[in-house]
Amino acid sequence: MQPLEQQPVLLLIDDSPMIHRLLTFKLKNEGIEFLSAFSASEGLELAASNRPALILLDLHLPDQNGLTALLSFKNDPRTIDLPVIMLSGDTDPANKVRAFELGAMDYVTKPFDIHELRARIQSAIRVHTLMHMLEKRAQIDGLTGLWNRAHFNERLSTELDQSKRNKTEMSLIICDLDHFKKVNDTFGHPAGDAVLQSFAKVLTTELRSYDVACRYGGEEFAIILPDAGPPASLAICERIRKAIEAKRWPNYPNIRATASFGLTDRGLDSGQTPEAWVAAADKCLYDSKQSGRNRVTTYATSGQAPRLAIAG
Amino acid sequence: MTDPTSQLSPLQSEFASDADMQELIQMFVDEVPQRMSEFRFAWDRANAAELGRLAHQMKGAAPGYGFTPLGESAKALESALKHAAHDLTAVRREFDSLIQMCSRVAR
């Protein structure tokens, strides 16, 4: 999972090199990374590809009026959510009102007081960071701290696209705790929650830092393994299977937990949709359950019918 | 022949005593002759749009480097241009005083 805190990037779009130099210098100790654009078109391109934490946009640009540029930012899905502070030598209130109507976060007139501008920049970045955090929160499962299903759906598509584009391997695991209902019924829901949390802990311990572990449903989990083909992904499944099998709970000494796994990979077919990947992994999981649980079932790389790879 | 600009008092940055700003001010001052020739070039070609753009940039930047009077002078030229509707003779006074202000800029 990627870190939330990174050095914020600020994109300055202004046609005057004197302003670029002054701002870069004045903000050099703020822990901000600077991107420079001298025209609206250059700025739009940089904003879309780098997704800065904040954009400072001059009202007078050589190729386009700054307000027109602002409108383009707000009409482009890649930049619609990026906060923009308008920077202008123009004090006409009509322009200010128009800028706010178009979605600008703030409006600073030139010549600016550097202390004031610095404070406004910091405040804007703070708000952006908070929004980003809230957005991320909405994609995290409260009980286990893993990604939730909404994130999984989104992420599976992007990871598949990326794997197709880069011609890299990829695997998908769908797994399910065995007889979980019995744990809840026998030991109570707090015990069930403890098992779910332990399983999540096993996942984060056994997985690589760039694997994507998600809580798919009640006791069902989905894991995306970028850059991992059959031998590696099978080994990962086995490690997880053994770890949860060996797990004990001091508060509930009689609980034993195992999990069943369905594993599918790129060998299946590179043209498959996310839905087909999930269906294939689900089918393997079903076979694991049918053939006795606590085991891993995988698609053979030849793309034939599911075969039992490893029995627990 | 004496240079008439040499008679004028030098215009120093308001941040001249700020050690942090020295390098930045020096770069700004070093580039003023180039800015002046850009202004003259636009003037000689009666390019009002370019003059306006240059004045606008100078208005926005000069005060940041501590040259407020230079910014004011650029602002005067910019607004005179807006009212002059491309008749450059009407802004002669503002143009001359901006050039004069530029020539006074010093370390």
Side-chain angles (χ1 to χ4, degrees), chain A residues 62-109:
Chain A
D63 55 337
Q64 220 178 62
N65 178 302
L67 290 177
T68 314
L70 177 60
L71 191 61
S72 314
F73 278 116
K74 295 301 167 189
N75 282 332
D76 188 326
R78 298 171 303 170
T79 53
I80 186 168
D81 59 331
L82 300 178
V84 177
I85 296 182
M86 295 302 293
L87 211 52
S88 167
D90 196 333
T91 49
D92 183 358
N95 272 335
K96 294 187 188 178
V97 170
R98 188 81 188 109
F100 281 112
E101 279 171 356
L102 289 175
M105 182 181 221
D106 205 349
Y107 194 108
V108 177
T109 50

Side-chain angles (χ1 to χ4, degrees), chain A residues 206-276:
Chain A
E206 297 299 335
L207 293 171
R208 304 162 303 171
S209 61
Y210 49 90
D211 292 332
V212 187
C214 316
R215 185 167 177 212
Y216 195 64
E219 68 267 28
E220 200 172 1
F221 297 81
I223 304 149
I224 304 167
L225 307 169
D227 281 318
S233 53
L234 201 52
I236 291 172
C237 280
E238 269 305 299
R239 286 210 309 268
I240 298 169
R241 192 187 63 75
K242 286 182 179 142
I244 190 64
E245 190 178 24
K247 177 78 190 156
R248 294 294 176 267
W249 291 265
N251 293 338
Y252 312 96
N254 295 323
I255 291 183
R256 298 289 180 273
T258 57
S260 300
F261 297 78
L263 173 62
T264 186
D265 60 65
R266 176 53 77 223
L268 184 64
D269 178 357
S270 60
Q272 290 287 12
T273 60
E275 293 75 25

Side-chain angles (χ1 to χ4, degrees), chain A residues 281-296:
Chain A
D282 245 344
K283 175 73 173 66
C284 294
L285 170 60
Y286 178 81
D287 288 352
S288 285
K289 292 278 188 191
Q290 287 299 304
S291 54
R293 297 183 167 83
N294 189 21
R295 67 193 59 208
V296 182

Side-chain angles (χ1 to χ4, degrees), chain A residues 14-22 25-26 28 58 60 62 88-91 110-112, chain B residues 15 18 20-21 23-24 27-28 31 35 53 56-61 63-65 78 82:
Chain A
D14 194 304
D15 65 335
S16 163
M18 293 183 284
I19 293 291
H20 281 263
R21 196 189 293 152
L22 187 65
F25 181 84
K26 288 291 192 177
K28 68 181 175 197
D58 186 25
H60 289 257
S88 167
D90 196 333
T91 49
K110 283 190 282 190
F112 44 76
Chain B
F15 309 136
D18 183 343
D20 273 359
M21 287 289 289
E23 197 188 333
L24 213 54
M27 280 195 273
F28 184 84
E31 283 175 8
R35 294 284 104 79
R53 193 183 70 84
H56 184 81
Q57 283 195 357
M58 188 57 91
K59 176 188 83 171
Y65 292 85
E78 188 194 23
K82 275 180 190 157

Side-chain angles (χ1 to χ4, degrees), chain A residues 134-272:
Chain A
L134 285 175
E135 245 167 59
K136 204 182 157 184
R137 285 267 168 84
Q139 302 210 312
I140 286 180
D141 175 61
L143 180 67
T144 60
L146 300 178
W147 295 111
N148 64 17
R149 186 168 185 154
H151 180 83
F152 170 77
N153 291 337
E154 215 173 274
R155 193 68 180 272
L156 182 61
S157 297
T158 53
E159 292 292 341
L160 272 174
D161 286 346
Q162 206 168 322
S163 147
K164 235 179 262 179
R165 210 174 36 248
N166 304 334
K167 298 195 174 17
T168 50
E169 296 264 26
M170 192 182 126
S171 297
L172 172 67
I173 303 168
I174 295 186
C175 54
D176 189 279
L177 289 165
D178 297 326
H179 300 300
F180 184 71
K181 193 174 174 301
K182 217 189 288 177
V183 175
N184 271 335
D185 292 348
T186 315
F187 302 94
H189 283 277
D193 287 352
V195 171
L196 289 170
Q197 286 170 330
S198 296
F199 190 64
K201 182 89 195 305
V202 164
L203 291 182
T204 43
T205 309
E206 297 299 335
L207 293 171
R208 304 162 303 171
S209 61
Y210 49 90
D211 292 332
V212 187
C214 316
R215 185 167 177 212
Y216 195 64
E219 68 267 28
E220 200 172 1
F221 297 81
I223 304 149
I224 304 167
L225 307 169
D227 281 318
S233 53
L234 201 52
I236 291 172
C237 280
E238 269 305 299
R239 286 210 309 268
I240 298 169
R241 192 187 63 75
K242 286 182 179 142
I244 190 64
E245 190 178 24
K247 177 78 190 156
R248 294 294 176 267
W249 291 265
N251 293 338
Y252 312 96
N254 295 323
I255 291 183
R256 298 289 180 273
T258 57
S260 300
F261 297 78
L263 173 62
T264 186
D265 60 65
R266 176 53 77 223
L268 184 64
D269 178 357
S270 60
Q272 290 287 12

